[in-house]
């Protein structure tokens, strides 16, 4: 099948881009890795594609004010290979799981977040870290928190005339640790289920832990799992071997999986199988993130 006819424009400035996007039926073309298949299968019929790849200010990758700011045309592979991504370790853990190198060489970070596939890695990372989305249109600029951005499968709070110009990810602080894991039938396939985890180990305080699960609902689902991590540490003691904490978290994560998995299942996996995957991944990745967080806290105080 071929794509339905469409007009194509390649503006050279942000001002021109948002003017073109305000036309009825206009759609952003970034890396094309999701949009082109959608066009080829005629699942979408935009009247005009606005190619954003010639707008210099959208190609910015910067670190300031405690955040990593990723512009609209920054490729996934560029971020993966850039030293700046070390400031957001969860991104470093997640990026290699996206498709294959060729996909990451063209696909953009913002494009993946704007596309909002429920099984995609980057929306989950953005949700776990409570990233900020910057949207720009001819009407102005606004910021939307990740928690308010994903509204359903392949749908977000962005209006059709709005461009996701930047995503701002908070840089990791001392005492923070991260975990990321997913299960797919073949490496590079979309995940059947996956988890992103952030643990903060404060001085003397109980650790806090936030987990975001993907591939299990229409949107990434986040849960505060601090109490359950605390309950596991009551069983193991405050400085457990990772394997012991992993074991202690096992049954506690089964309860979390019951809450977060709300898909009716599909030809790839039943809800019950996804719950088992989520529970196993959460236990493993929270144990990993806790070990990482305590190392980071000790490194910052020595
Ligand atoms: C074989 C294959 C395997 C893949 N595997 C994975 C995987 O495992 N995990 C994963 O997460 N993804 C996977 N992808 C998708 C890939 O990550 C895409 O790159 C990504 O989903 C979209 O980014 P893009 O820059 O290519 O956007 P495009 O394809 O250009 O656009 C996608 C959609 O987002 C909109 N859009 C893009 N950028 C913006 C913006 N800045 N502002 C507003 N709207 C915008 C477009 O209008 C379009 O609707 C795979 C793709 C392929 C072809």
């Amino acid at each position: 099948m071929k794509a339905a006819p469409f007009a194509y424009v390649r503006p050279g400035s942000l001002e021109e881009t948002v003017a073109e996007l305000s036309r009825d039926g206009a759609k952003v073309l970034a890396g094309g890795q999701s949009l082109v298949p959608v066009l080829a299968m005629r699942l979408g019929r935009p009247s005009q594609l606005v190619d954003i790849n010639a707008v210099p200010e959208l190609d910015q990758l910067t670190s300031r004010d405690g955040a990593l700011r990723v512009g609209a045309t920054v490729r996934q592979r560029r971020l993966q290979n850039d030293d700046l991504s070390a400031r957001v370790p969860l991104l470093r853990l997640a990026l290699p799981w996206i498709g294959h190198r060729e996909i990451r060489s063209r696909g953009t970070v913002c494009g993946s977040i704007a596309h909002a596939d429920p099984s995609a890695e980057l929306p989950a990372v953005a949700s776990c870290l409570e990233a900020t989305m910057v949207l720009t249109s001819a009407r102005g600029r606004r910021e939307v928190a990740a928690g308010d951005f994903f509204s359903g499968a392949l749908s977000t709070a962005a209006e059709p005339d709005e461009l996701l110009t930047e995503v701002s990810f908070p840089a990791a602080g001392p005492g923070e640790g991260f975990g990321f894991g997913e299960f797919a039938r073949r490496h590079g396939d979309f995940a059947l289920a996956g988890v992103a985890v952030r643990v903060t180990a404060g001085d003397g305080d109980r650790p806090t832990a936030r987990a975001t699960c993907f591939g299990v609902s229409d949107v990434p689902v986040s849960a505060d799992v601090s109490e359950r991590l605390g309950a596991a540490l009551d069983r193991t003691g405050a400085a457990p071997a990772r394997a012991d904490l992993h074991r202690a978290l096992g049954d506690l994560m089964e309860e979390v999986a019951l809450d977060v998995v709300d898909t009716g299942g599909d030809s790839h996996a039943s809800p019950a199988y996804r719950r088992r995957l989520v529970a196993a991944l959460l236990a493993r990745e929270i144990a990993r993130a806790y070990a990482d967080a305590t190392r980071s806290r000790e490194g910052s105080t020595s």
Side-chain angles (χ1 to χ4, degrees), residues 177-179 197 199 209 229 232-233 240-250 253 280-295:
F178 302 90
V197 174
V199 170
L229 173 56
L233 290 168
R242 197 165 106 191
D244 292 339
L245 182 58
H246 182 174
R247 248 190 313 279
L249 284 162
M253 291 305 123
L281 290 167
L282 281 174
R284 188 183 76 194
E285 297 308 322
I286 293 172
R288 188 198 306 265
Y290 180 73
D292 189 22
T294 47
R295 254 195 322 271

Side-chain angles (χ1 to χ4, degrees), residues 196-284:
V197 174
R198 173 172 58 164
V199 170
T200 308
D203 281 332
D205 299 332
R206 291 291 251 180
T208 59
R210 177 177 167 85
T212 301
C213 304
F214 59 100
V216 298
S217 181
D218 284 354
V219 293
V221 187
S222 297
D224 182 342
V225 289
S226 311
E227 274 187 26
R228 280 160 170 128
L229 173 56
L233 290 168
D234 287 340
R235 294 179 190 172
T236 60
R242 197 165 106 191
D244 292 339
L245 182 58
H246 182 174
R247 248 190 313 279
L249 284 162
D251 55 324
L252 296 163
M253 291 305 123
E254 284 169 21
E255 297 162 15
V256 179
L258 272 180
D259 286 344
V260 298
V261 177
D262 76 351
T263 157
D266 52 34
S267 58
H268 303 295
S270 65
Y273 182 60
R274 282 194 164 90
R275 282 190 192 103
R276 287 185 61 189
L277 283 179
V278 163
L281 290 167
L282 281 174
R284 188 183 76 194

Side-chain angles (χ1 to χ4, degrees), residues 9 14 27 58 91 104 120 128 160 264-265 296 302:
V9 289
L14 182 56
K27 198 114 186 90
L58 296 178
L91 276 173
R104 298 192 294 272
C128 187
S296 156
S302 62

Side-chain angles (χ1 to χ4, degrees), residues 52-67:
I52 60 173
N53 289 289
V55 182
E57 61 260 53
L58 296 178
D59 197 26
Q60 307 279 321
L61 178 60
T62 55
S63 173
R64 69 186 138 88
D65 304 331

